[in-house]
PDB file of all heavy atoms in Angstrom:
ATOM      1  N   VAL A  20      35.134 -87.487 126.599  1.00  0.00           N
ATOM      2  CA  VAL A  20      35.794 -87.421 127.906  1.00  0.00           C
ATOM      3  C   VAL A  20      37.282 -87.096 127.771  1.00  0.00           C
ATOM      4  O   VAL A  20      37.817 -86.281 128.526  1.00  0.00           O
ATOM      5  CB  VAL A  20      35.612 -88.756 128.668  1.00  0.00           C
ATOM      6  CG1 VAL A  20      36.451 -88.784 129.943  1.00  0.00           C
ATOM      7  CG2 VAL A  20      34.135 -88.985 129.001  1.00  0.00           C
ATOM      8  N   LEU A  21      37.937 -87.720 126.799  1.00  0.00           N
ATOM      9  CA  LEU A  21      39.403 -87.652 126.756  1.00  0.00           C
ATOM     10  C   LEU A  21      39.955 -86.653 125.746  1.00  0.00           C
ATOM     11  O   LEU A  21      41.072 -86.157 125.915  1.00  0.00           O
ATOM     12  CB  LEU A  21      39.971 -89.048 126.468  1.00  0.00           C
ATOM     13  CG  LEU A  21      39.637 -90.086 127.553  1.00  0.00           C
ATOM     14  CD1 LEU A  21      39.924 -91.498 127.058  1.00  0.00           C
ATOM     15  CD2 LEU A  21      40.409 -89.790 128.835  1.00  0.00           C
ATOM     16  N   MET A  77      40.440 -95.081 129.011  1.00  0.00           N
ATOM     17  CA  MET A  77      39.585 -95.273 130.203  1.00  0.00           C
ATOM     18  C   MET A  77      38.687 -94.046 130.368  1.00  0.00           C
ATOM     19  O   MET A  77      39.173 -92.935 130.581  1.00  0.00           O
ATOM     20  CB  MET A  77      40.436 -95.401 131.463  1.00  0.00           C
ATOM     21  CG  MET A  77      41.041 -96.765 131.739  1.00  0.00           C
ATOM     22  SD  MET A  77      39.864 -98.086 132.082  1.00  0.00           S
ATOM     23  CE  MET A  77      38.836 -97.374 133.359  1.00  0.00           C
ATOM     24  N   ALA A  78      37.406 -94.258 130.283  1.00  0.00           N
ATOM     25  CA  ALA A  78      36.464 -93.149 130.441  1.00  0.00           C
ATOM     26  C   ALA A  78      35.150 -93.667 130.996  1.00  0.00           C
ATOM     27  O   ALA A  78      34.678 -94.730 130.583  1.00  0.00           O
ATOM     28  CB  ALA A  78      36.222 -92.458 129.095  1.00  0.00           C
ATOM     29  N   THR A  79      34.584 -92.916 131.913  1.00  0.00           N
ATOM     30  CA  THR A  79      33.241 -93.203 132.441  1.00  0.00           C
ATOM     31  C   THR A  79      32.410 -91.941 132.261  1.00  0.00           C
ATOM     32  O   THR A  79      32.915 -90.819 132.448  1.00  0.00           O
ATOM     33  CB  THR A  79      33.311 -93.577 133.942  1.00  0.00           C
ATOM     34  OG1 THR A  79      34.037 -94.803 134.077  1.00  0.00           O
ATOM     35  CG2 THR A  79      31.925 -93.752 134.545  1.00  0.00           C
ATOM     36  N   ARG A  84      30.470 -91.493 137.565  1.00  0.00           N
ATOM     37  CA  ARG A  84      31.784 -91.842 138.119  1.00  0.00           C
ATOM     38  C   ARG A  84      31.667 -92.138 139.610  1.00  0.00           C
ATOM     39  O   ARG A  84      30.748 -91.665 140.268  1.00  0.00           O
ATOM     40  CB  ARG A  84      32.791 -90.706 137.863  1.00  0.00           C
ATOM     41  CG  ARG A  84      33.142 -90.626 136.396  1.00  0.00           C
ATOM     42  CD  ARG A  84      34.092 -89.491 136.054  1.00  0.00           C
ATOM     43  NE  ARG A  84      34.058 -89.299 134.596  1.00  0.00           N
ATOM     44  CZ  ARG A  84      34.377 -88.184 133.964  1.00  0.00           C
ATOM     45  NH1 ARG A  84      34.787 -87.132 134.646  1.00  0.00           N
ATOM     46  NH2 ARG A  84      34.297 -88.122 132.645  1.00  0.00           N
ATOM     47  N   GLY A  85      32.630 -92.917 140.115  1.00  0.00           N
ATOM     48  CA  GLY A  85      32.663 -93.223 141.541  1.00  0.00           C
ATOM     49  C   GLY A  85      31.688 -94.302 141.964  1.00  0.00           C
ATOM     50  O   GLY A  85      31.419 -94.479 143.143  1.00  0.00           O
ATOM     51  N   GLN A  86      31.160 -95.043 140.987  1.00  0.00           N
ATOM     52  CA  GLN A  86      30.194 -96.107 141.319  1.00  0.00           C
ATOM     53  C   GLN A  86      30.691 -97.486 140.878  1.00  0.00           C
ATOM     54  O   GLN A  86      29.908 -98.430 140.784  1.00  0.00           O
ATOM     55  CB  GLN A  86      28.853 -95.803 140.673  1.00  0.00           C
ATOM     56  CG  GLN A  86      28.235 -94.513 141.189  1.00  0.00           C
ATOM     57  CD  GLN A  86      26.836 -94.299 140.634  1.00  0.00           C
ATOM     58  OE1 GLN A  86      25.957 -95.138 140.778  1.00  0.00           O
ATOM     59  NE2 GLN A  86      26.638 -93.174 139.976  1.00  0.00           N
ATOM     60  N   GLY A  87      31.971 -97.567 140.543  1.00  0.00           N
ATOM     61  CA  GLY A  87      32.542 -98.873 140.225  1.00  0.00           C
ATOM     62  C   GLY A  87      32.546 -99.261 138.758  1.00  0.00           C
ATOM     63  O   GLY A  87      32.949-100.377 138.422  1.00  0.00           O
ATOM     64  N   VAL A  88      32.117 -98.356 137.874  1.00  0.00           N
ATOM     65  CA  VAL A  88      32.124 -98.687 136.445  1.00  0.00           C
ATOM     66  C   VAL A  88      33.570 -98.902 135.983  1.00  0.00           C
ATOM     67  O   VAL A  88      33.905 -99.916 135.351  1.00  0.00           O
ATOM     68  CB  VAL A  88      31.457 -97.575 135.605  1.00  0.00           C
ATOM     69  CG1 VAL A  88      31.563 -97.880 134.112  1.00  0.00           C
ATOM     70  CG2 VAL A  88      30.006 -97.401 136.017  1.00  0.00           C
ATOM     71  N   GLY A  89      34.436 -97.943 136.311  1.00  0.00           N
ATOM     72  CA  GLY A  89      35.846 -98.064 135.914  1.00  0.00           C
ATOM     73  C   GLY A  89      36.484 -99.315 136.491  1.00  0.00           C
ATOM     74  O   GLY A  89      37.254-100.002 135.809  1.00  0.00           O
ATOM     75  N   ALA A  90      36.148 -99.645 137.738  1.00  0.00           N
ATOM     76  CA  ALA A  90      36.705-100.850 138.363  1.00  0.00           C
ATOM     77  C   ALA A  90      36.306-102.091 137.576  1.00  0.00           C
ATOM     78  O   ALA A  90      37.130-102.983 137.340  1.00  0.00           O
ATOM     79  CB  ALA A  90      36.220-100.947 139.807  1.00  0.00           C
ATOM     80  N   GLU A 111      49.464 -94.771 130.540  1.00  0.00           N
ATOM     81  CA  GLU A 111      49.915 -93.412 130.813  1.00  0.00           C
ATOM     82  C   GLU A 111      48.784 -92.786 131.617  1.00  0.00           C
ATOM     83  O   GLU A 111      47.718 -92.499 131.074  1.00  0.00           O
ATOM     84  CB  GLU A 111      50.180 -92.674 129.506  1.00  0.00           C
ATOM     85  CG  GLU A 111      51.371 -93.270 128.750  1.00  0.00           C
ATOM     86  CD  GLU A 111      51.580 -92.651 127.381  1.00  0.00           C
ATOM     87  OE1 GLU A 111      50.610 -92.118 126.790  1.00  0.00           O
ATOM     88  OE2 GLU A 111      52.721 -92.715 126.885  1.00  0.00           O
ATOM     89  N   ALA A 112      49.029 -92.619 132.917  1.00  0.00           N
ATOM     90  CA  ALA A 112      47.966 -92.214 133.832  1.00  0.00           C
ATOM     91  C   ALA A 112      47.963 -90.708 134.037  1.00  0.00           C
ATOM     92  O   ALA A 112      48.974 -90.128 134.453  1.00  0.00           O
ATOM     93  CB  ALA A 112      48.145 -92.910 135.171  1.00  0.00           C
ATOM     94  N   ARG A 113      46.821 -90.086 133.767  1.00  0.00           N
ATOM     95  CA  ARG A 113      46.678 -88.669 134.136  1.00  0.00           C
ATOM     96  C   ARG A 113      46.870 -88.549 135.641  1.00  0.00           C
ATOM     97  O   ARG A 113      46.439 -89.453 136.387  1.00  0.00           O
ATOM     98  CB  ARG A 113      45.278 -88.178 133.775  1.00  0.00           C
ATOM     99  CG  ARG A 113      45.034 -88.142 132.292  1.00  0.00           C
ATOM    100  CD  ARG A 113      43.664 -87.592 131.973  1.00  0.00           C
ATOM    101  NE  ARG A 113      43.512 -87.574 130.519  1.00  0.00           N
ATOM    102  CZ  ARG A 113      42.588 -86.891 129.860  1.00  0.00           C
ATOM    103  NH1 ARG A 113      41.701 -86.180 130.523  1.00  0.00           N
ATOM    104  NH2 ARG A 113      42.546 -86.904 128.550  1.00  0.00           N
ATOM    105  N   ALA A 116      44.128 -89.563 137.786  1.00  0.00           N
ATOM    106  CA  ALA A 116      43.696 -90.972 137.774  1.00  0.00           C
ATOM    107  C   ALA A 116      44.713 -91.901 138.424  1.00  0.00           C
ATOM    108  O   ALA A 116      44.472 -93.107 138.509  1.00  0.00           O
ATOM    109  CB  ALA A 116      43.426 -91.415 136.336  1.00  0.00           C
ATOM    110  N   ALA A 118      45.533 -92.372 141.554  1.00  0.00           N
ATOM    111  CA  ALA A 118      44.981 -93.095 142.719  1.00  0.00           C
ATOM    112  C   ALA A 118      44.074 -94.231 142.268  1.00  0.00           C
ATOM    113  O   ALA A 118      44.081 -95.320 142.862  1.00  0.00           O
ATOM    114  CB  ALA A 118      44.219 -92.133 143.622  1.00  0.00           C
ATOM    115  N   PHE A 119      43.314 -93.978 141.219  1.00  0.00           N
ATOM    116  CA  PHE A 119      42.432 -95.017 140.673  1.00  0.00           C
ATOM    117  C   PHE A 119      43.254 -96.222 140.225  1.00  0.00           C
ATOM    118  O   PHE A 119      42.964 -97.373 140.586  1.00  0.00           O
ATOM    119  CB  PHE A 119      41.621 -94.436 139.508  1.00  0.00           C
ATOM    120  CG  PHE A 119      40.860 -95.458 138.714  1.00  0.00           C
ATOM    121  CD1 PHE A 119      39.642 -95.947 139.178  1.00  0.00           C
ATOM    122  CD2 PHE A 119      41.359 -95.938 137.518  1.00  0.00           C
ATOM    123  CE1 PHE A 119      38.945 -96.904 138.456  1.00  0.00           C
ATOM    124  CE2 PHE A 119      40.668 -96.894 136.787  1.00  0.00           C
ATOM    125  CZ  PHE A 119      39.453 -97.378 137.253  1.00  0.00           C
ATOM    126  N   TYR A 120      44.315 -95.963 139.446  1.00  0.00           N
ATOM    127  CA  TYR A 120      45.130 -97.088 138.956  1.00  0.00           C
ATOM    128  C   TYR A 120      45.850 -97.788 140.110  1.00  0.00           C
ATOM    129  O   TYR A 120      45.987 -99.010 140.107  1.00  0.00           O
ATOM    130  CB  TYR A 120      46.121 -96.608 137.894  1.00  0.00           C
ATOM    131  CG  TYR A 120      45.467 -96.235 136.586  1.00  0.00           C
ATOM    132  CD1 TYR A 120      45.431 -94.910 136.144  1.00  0.00           C
ATOM    133  CD2 TYR A 120      44.875 -97.205 135.790  1.00  0.00           C
ATOM    134  CE1 TYR A 120      44.824 -94.571 134.949  1.00  0.00           C
ATOM    135  CE2 TYR A 120      44.255 -96.875 134.591  1.00  0.00           C
ATOM    136  CZ  TYR A 120      44.238 -95.554 134.179  1.00  0.00           C
ATOM    137  OH  TYR A 120      43.625 -95.227 132.993  1.00  0.00           O
ATOM    138  N   ARG A 122      44.789 -98.212 143.036  1.00  0.00           N
ATOM    139  CA  ARG A 122      43.791 -99.068 143.677  1.00  0.00           C
ATOM    140  C   ARG A 122      43.630-100.388 142.929  1.00  0.00           C
ATOM    141  O   ARG A 122      43.166-101.378 143.478  1.00  0.00           O
ATOM    142  CB  ARG A 122      42.454 -98.333 143.720  1.00  0.00           C
ATOM    143  CG  ARG A 122      41.654 -98.574 144.968  1.00  0.00           C
ATOM    144  CD  ARG A 122      40.365 -97.780 144.927  1.00  0.00           C
ATOM    145  NE  ARG A 122      40.563 -96.346 145.071  1.00  0.00           N
ATOM    146  CZ  ARG A 122      40.716 -95.735 146.236  1.00  0.00           C
ATOM    147  NH1 ARG A 122      40.714 -96.433 147.345  1.00  0.00           N
ATOM    148  NH2 ARG A 122      40.871 -94.436 146.293  1.00  0.00           N
TER     149      ARG A 122
HETATM  150  C1  COA B 201      39.260 -92.571 135.736  1.00  0.00           C
HETATM  151  C2  COA B 201      37.810 -93.008 135.500  1.00  0.00           C
HETATM  152  C3  COA B 201      37.712 -93.782 134.182  1.00  0.00           C
HETATM  153  C4  COA B 201      37.393 -93.934 136.655  1.00  0.00           C
HETATM  154  O1  COA B 201      36.091 -94.422 136.367  1.00  0.00           O
HETATM  155  P1  COA B 201      34.993 -94.615 137.520  1.00  0.00           P
HETATM  156  O2  COA B 201      33.828 -95.284 136.885  1.00  0.00           O
HETATM  157  O3  COA B 201      34.751 -93.341 138.223  1.00  0.00           O
HETATM  158  O4  COA B 201      35.783 -95.639 138.462  1.00  0.00           O
HETATM  159  P2  COA B 201      35.337 -96.262 139.870  1.00  0.00           P
HETATM  160  O5  COA B 201      33.973 -95.801 140.225  1.00  0.00           O
HETATM  161  O6  COA B 201      35.622 -97.698 139.811  1.00  0.00           O
HETATM  162  O7  COA B 201      36.424 -95.646 140.849  1.00  0.00           O
HETATM  163  C5  COA B 201      36.566 -94.243 140.946  1.00  0.00           C
HETATM  164  C6  COA B 201      36.647 -93.813 142.360  1.00  0.00           C
HETATM  165  O8  COA B 201      35.392 -93.963 142.971  1.00  0.00           O
HETATM  166  C7  COA B 201      35.523 -94.761 144.144  1.00  0.00           C
HETATM  167  N1  COA B 201      34.459 -95.768 144.120  1.00  0.00           N
HETATM  168  C8  COA B 201      34.457 -96.952 143.527  1.00  0.00           C
HETATM  169  N2  COA B 201      33.307 -97.592 143.739  1.00  0.00           N
HETATM  170  C9  COA B 201      32.556 -96.773 144.475  1.00  0.00           C
HETATM  171  C10 COA B 201      31.250 -96.856 145.000  1.00  0.00           C
HETATM  172  N3  COA B 201      30.490 -97.931 144.797  1.00  0.00           N
HETATM  173  N4  COA B 201      30.766 -95.804 145.721  1.00  0.00           N
HETATM  174  C11 COA B 201      31.537 -94.721 145.900  1.00  0.00           C
HETATM  175  N5  COA B 201      32.789 -94.588 145.424  1.00  0.00           N
HETATM  176  C12 COA B 201      33.292 -95.594 144.715  1.00  0.00           C
HETATM  177  C13 COA B 201      36.840 -95.435 144.095  1.00  0.00           C
HETATM  178  O9  COA B 201      37.371 -95.434 145.407  1.00  0.00           O
HETATM  179  C14 COA B 201      37.646 -94.584 143.151  1.00  0.00           C
HETATM  180  O10 COA B 201      38.443 -93.679 143.845  1.00  0.00           O
HETATM  181  P3  COA B 201      39.963 -93.429 143.418  1.00  0.00           P
HETATM  182  O11 COA B 201      39.957 -92.557 142.196  1.00  0.00           O
HETATM  183  O12 COA B 201      40.574 -92.754 144.578  1.00  0.00           O
HETATM  184  O13 COA B 201      40.568 -94.768 143.101  1.00  0.00           O
HETATM  185  C15 COA B 201      36.840 -91.795 135.485  1.00  0.00           C
HETATM  186  O14 COA B 201      37.073 -91.032 136.657  1.00  0.00           O
HETATM  187  C16 COA B 201      36.991 -90.887 134.266  1.00  0.00           C
HETATM  188  O15 COA B 201      36.375 -91.104 133.217  1.00  0.00           O
HETATM  189  N6  COA B 201      37.808 -89.818 134.416  1.00  0.00           N
HETATM  190  C17 COA B 201      38.040 -88.862 133.339  1.00  0.00           C
HETATM  191  C18 COA B 201      38.915 -89.452 132.261  1.00  0.00           C
HETATM  192  C19 COA B 201      40.245 -89.941 132.782  1.00  0.00           C
HETATM  193  O16 COA B 201      40.943 -89.270 133.538  1.00  0.00           O
HETATM  194  N7  COA B 201      40.601 -91.170 132.337  1.00  0.00           N
HETATM  195  C20 COA B 201      41.871 -91.774 132.698  1.00  0.00           C
HETATM  196  C21 COA B 201      42.897 -91.326 131.726  1.00  0.00           C
HETATM  197  S1  COA B 201      44.510 -91.928 132.181  1.00  0.00           S
END
Side-chain angles (χ1 to χ4, degrees):
V20 172
L21 298 166
M77 279 295 309
T79 295
R84 290 178 195 157
Q86 297 186 56
V88 176
E111 293 174 335
R113 293 183 179 196
F119 170 80
Y120 289 112
R122 217 179 289 278

